[in-house]
Amino acid sequence: MIENTPVDVGHLTVRYGDELILDDLSFSVKKGEIFVILGGSGSGKSTLLRHMLGLERPESGRIIIGDTDIAECSEKEYAAALKKIGVLFQSSALLGSMTIAENVALPIIEHTALPARAVAEMVRMKLALVGLGDYEHYLPSEISGGMKKRAGLARALALNPEILFLDEPSAGLDPITAEEIDDLIIDINRRTDTTMIIVTHELASIFAVARRVIMLDKTSKKIIAEGTPRDLKDSSPNPLVRRFFRRYDRTEQKTESNTT
Amino acid sequence: MRRKDSSPCTYQLYPGMDGRWTLRLFGRLDIDTTPETLHSVTADILKSKPVSLQVDLSGVTYMDDYGTLLINELRHSPALRDARFEIENASADAAETLKRLGPEHATRPLPAPGRKSMNIVAELGDATIGAMIGLKFFVAFIGSVFLSTLSVIKKPNTLRFDDTIGHMKTTGVDAVPVVALISFLLGMIMAFMSSLQLTQFGANIYVASLVAVAMVSELGPIMTAIVVAGRSGSAYAAEISTMKISEEIDALSVMRFDPVLFLVIPRIIAAMVVIPLLTIFSSFFAIAGGMFIGVTMLDLTTSSYFQQTINTLKLFEVFWGLSKSLVFAVIIASVGCLRGVQAKGGPAAVGNAATSAVVTCIFLIILFDSLFAVMRSYW
Ligand SMILES: Nc1ncnc2c1ncn2[C@@H]1O[C@H](COP(=O)(O)OP(=O)(O)O)[C@@H](O)[C@H]1O
Ligand SMILES: [Mg+2]
């Protein structure tokens, strides 16, 4: 059971002050799958992610990563759970004072006993993996948004995590760059069998390969849909969900007619 | 819609029997006519306090969301608190707008988190809770700084040495010109001002004593601390708050770095090393400034000025000044970092963090300086 569900969230409720943000969410993620958390802006996606990373403690509920409940565990157990995790933040979160290579090297130097030459080699490999081979010595401020996402991804993958969390990996990018990032994520998932939990507000290409999707709703603060993308698209009983997907259908048709 | 038609809105208010009133609106209900109509109708209603109001829209030629707003405002006007409210003869267009935008829509007050109007007691309570949360955060921060310091003492190689050196440069070396200039001028001013009195007694030479004692034990530490608070306290807050809002600190946490060890400790150590050094520089340059005045204006020789300075200064003064500057260093670095870590929200938080870091630093510096003065008088 633990082997096959690296992440299990149960009855998670989050409140900021008096305001209810997430109401009694339960779901679990299977090993190796691409799991997508959908929802409009302000529906609490980032909040959910921050709780799944243990950056904040929920009002109630459990968040099990591997076999630790990070909603209530000791510092030591938390650190052990974090070993399994890599994160690409919404704003990439590269350290601005360091070059791309130094950013990627940071976790490798801290958490492995590799000699400096080997660290540099590993950094080069990770950067090549995300297609940033030539940008080692650039500062984050000197590269574009799409490249920052790639660099953030390389850093998230630095220690070969079992679970990769991605907050809006393609948001704020032009459609072509966004699709490249999506393809990269899919490719990495295929090659490394990393479990991927992706938060997004758009039905990007990644959606097509998602094994499972949940959709958060801003008004009810609950999960209003859960299933495979096909299930949700064709037969959700919820009108909100159907509306969300109909819009996607329209844009898809438009793109198709543009390309033909 | 008939947008061209520009007949302004007029209205008629008919008093009925038993306080049952009818309001008849004509013409356009849009952004131009609504405010005025709303004002005067509200005033009329307030005077008469009807038990029911029927709004007849048959004469309305055009109505948009401003018109809907007018209807909704009337419906919820305090003068009509328990009155019945009816709308009649709305055209298809108007009915459509009313349905689309109101009234349930507008009856709900806009949510304004944090800006709820409250009574004094509730506000006091809110402020107290806010202060307690701030205090809790402060205590937790001090605690984790303390723990991280212990862990650095136990395992010195966990200190980010390169960062510490970098902060020493930006906090210390880069501040030397401004501290030197300010101190030199301050020394000159003090020498000049005191000489105005002392020359009357032929006691010119005591200018040297005055400048030395005042600078080394009092003004040197405090001037340096204030300059560094403005330069580096604010910089620490701005740097760290920028990292906070761009999720860099979260990224450090999930990569199993201790943000305090990574960001705060190097800055505190750097400040504790360079601020006392800057204080020594400051006193030195102030004495030089005093000497400049002494030699050029007061007919003192360099050697007599220097000799007098040496004779006056006791080791205790130097030690006292340096102890103070060490305390100021801890204040500047930890307040700067604390304000940075506390930052919340968007880019505006960076500016706020920097401002409040400087204000808090200067306040605490003066406060602790007074405490030192009190302590010294009971020494
Ligand atoms: N630290 C916070 N304090 C108070 N409210 C917050 C905080 N963070 C987020 N919120 C609120 O929680 C809701 C969800 O935010 P978020 O998780 O960022 O949404 P999303 O990522 O889906 O756009 C928003 O209404 C936001 O205002
Ligand atoms: Mg978000």
Side-chain angles (χ1 to χ4, degrees), chain B residues 191-228:
Chain B
F192 180 70
M193 293 310 289
S194 53
S195 73
L196 292 182
Q197 300 299 315
L198 291 173
T199 39
Q200 296 176 13
F201 309 105
N204 277 353
I205 189 66
Y206 288 105
V207 167
S209 309
L210 202 145
V211 170
V213 171
M215 275 317 286
V216 169
S217 68
E218 190 60 33
L219 287 173
I222 210 166
M223 282 306 300
T224 310
I226 288 176
V227 170
V228 176

Side-chain angles (χ1 to χ4, degrees), chain A residues 6 29-33 162-164 189 193-197:
Chain A
V29 182
K30 299 204 174 62
K31 191 164 171 15
E33 77 177 343
E162 290 170 33
I163 313 161
L164 189 61
N189 173 260
D193 201 33
T194 313
T195 308
M196 295 192 166
I197 299 176

Side-chain angles (χ1 to χ4, degrees), chain A residues 50 79 83 89 91 94 111, chain B residues 246-248 250-251 255-256:
Chain A
R50 294 177 58 74
K83 264 185 206 173
F89 283 90
S91 54
L94 298 167
H111 298 303
Chain B
S246 62
E247 302 176 304
E248 287 169 45
D250 291 338
M255 291 192 293
R256 287 174 285 148

Side-chain angles (χ1 to χ4, degrees), chain B residues 136-171:
Chain B
K136 202 173 124 193
F137 196 95
F138 175 74
V139 172
F141 179 78
I142 297 295
S144 56
V145 167
F146 191 72
L147 287 179
S148 300
T149 312
L150 283 186
S151 87
V152 166
I153 291 170
K154 252 191 284 175
K155 280 189 275 175
N157 63 344
T158 55
L159 177 66
R160 295 188 62 82
F161 200 71
D162 293 352
D163 288 359
T164 313
I165 299 289
H167 292 306
M168 284 182 188
K169 181 183 173 295
T170 51
T171 308

Side-chain angles (χ1 to χ4, degrees), chain A residues 46 90 167-168:
Chain A
S46 295
Q90 191 165 356
D167 193 358
E168 313 237 357

Side-chain angles (χ1 to χ4, degrees), chain A residues 5 9 36 50 75 121 137 146 148 177 179 184 197 210-211 213 218 224 231 246:
Chain A
T5 53
V9 173
V36 171
R50 294 177 58 74
E75 288 279 321
E121 185 55 31
H137 300 300
K148 275 188 217 167
T177 315
E179 203 169 318
L184 183 60
I197 299 176
R211 217 76 53 85
V213 177
K218 191 175 170 148
I224 51 167
D231 287 348
R246 264 213 309 280

Side-chain angles (χ1 to χ4, degrees), chain A:
Chain A
M1 147 97 191
I2 287 162
E3 278 302 293
N4 294 322
T5 53
V7 179
D8 178 45
V9 173
H11 304 291
L12 176 69
T13 299
V14 175
R15 226 179 268 273
Y16 284 132
D18 296 337
E19 202 183 338
L20 188 66
I21 307 289
L22 300 172
D23 185 12
D24 196 25
L25 305 190
S26 299
F27 58 89
S28 59
V29 182
K30 299 204 174 62
K31 191 164 171 15
E33 77 177 343
I34 294 185
F35 186 91
V36 171
I37 300 170
L38 270 179
S41 23
S43 59
K45 303 182 298 293
S46 295
T47 307
L48 174 57
L49 198 70
R50 294 177 58 74
H51 282 81
M52 290 168 82
L53 297 175
L55 292 169
E56 283 166 50
R57 298 244 156 157
E59 182 178 276
S60 63
R62 61 165 197 275
I63 300 153
I64 296 175
I65 304 281
D67 43 17
T68 351
D69 183 354
I70 60 165
E72 39 187 62
C73 66
S74 68
E75 288 279 321
K76 214 175 231 156
E77 289 169 321
Y78 177 53
L82 283 180
K83 264 185 206 173
K84 305 189 171 77
I85 288 179
V87 188
L88 169 59
F89 283 90
Q90 191 165 356
S91 54
S92 303
L94 298 167
L95 300 186
S97 55
M98 298 183 179
T99 65
I100 302 304
E102 285 168 343
N103 264 288
V104 179
L106 199 63
I108 305 179
I109 293 170
E110 178 80 6
H111 298 303
T112 69
L114 290 177
R117 281 234 338 250
V119 171
E121 185 55 31
M122 179 50 73
V123 169
R124 239 167 272 140
M125 280 159 64
K126 293 294 176 192
L127 285 176
L129 178 70
V130 299
L132 274 186
D134 302 332
Y135 292 89
E136 278 183 34
H137 300 300
Y138 282 71
L139 286 174
S141 55
E142 295 165 344
I143 58 175
S144 72
M147 290 183 192
K148 275 188 217 167
K149 296 269 183 183
R150 286 167 187 270
L153 192 57
R155 189 179 67 180
L157 291 168
L159 299 175
N160 291 342
E162 290 170 33
I163 313 161
L164 189 61
F165 290 86
L166 303 105
D167 193 358
E168 313 237 357
S170 47
L173 301 177
D174 65 86
I176 294 170
T177 315
E179 203 169 318
E180 282 171 8
I181 298 273
D182 285 349
D183 291 346
L184 183 60
I185 291 166
I186 295 164
D187 188 44
I188 289 166
N189 173 260
R190 211 170 279 148
R191 278 203 263 171
T192 60
D193 201 33
T194 313
T195 308
M196 295 192 166
I197 299 176
I198 303 174
V199 156
T200 177
H201 70 265
E202 55 191 8
L203 294 160
S205 42
I206 192 117
F207 184 69
V209 300
R211 217 76 53 85
R212 243 143 27 88
V213 177
I214 59 173
M215 188 164 165
L216 300 182
D217 174 45
K218 191 175 170 148
T219 330
S220 67
K221 322 286 184 196
K222 286 178 183 292
I223 295 175
I224 51 167
E226 177 167 11
T228 66
R230 188 166 296 276
D231 287 348
L232 298 195
K233 196 159 155 182
D234 298 336
S235 50
S236 171
N238 191 314
L240 265 171
V241 180
R242 286 203 306 272
R243 209 173 85 202
F244 202 82
F245 287 88
R246 264 213 309 280
R247 220 194 65 221
Y248 177 57
D249 266 356
R250 272 212 299 272
T251 43
E252 192 162 69
Q253 277 157 18
K254 243 186 263 167
T255 5
E256 269 165 23
S257 61
N258 282 349
T259 48
T260 49

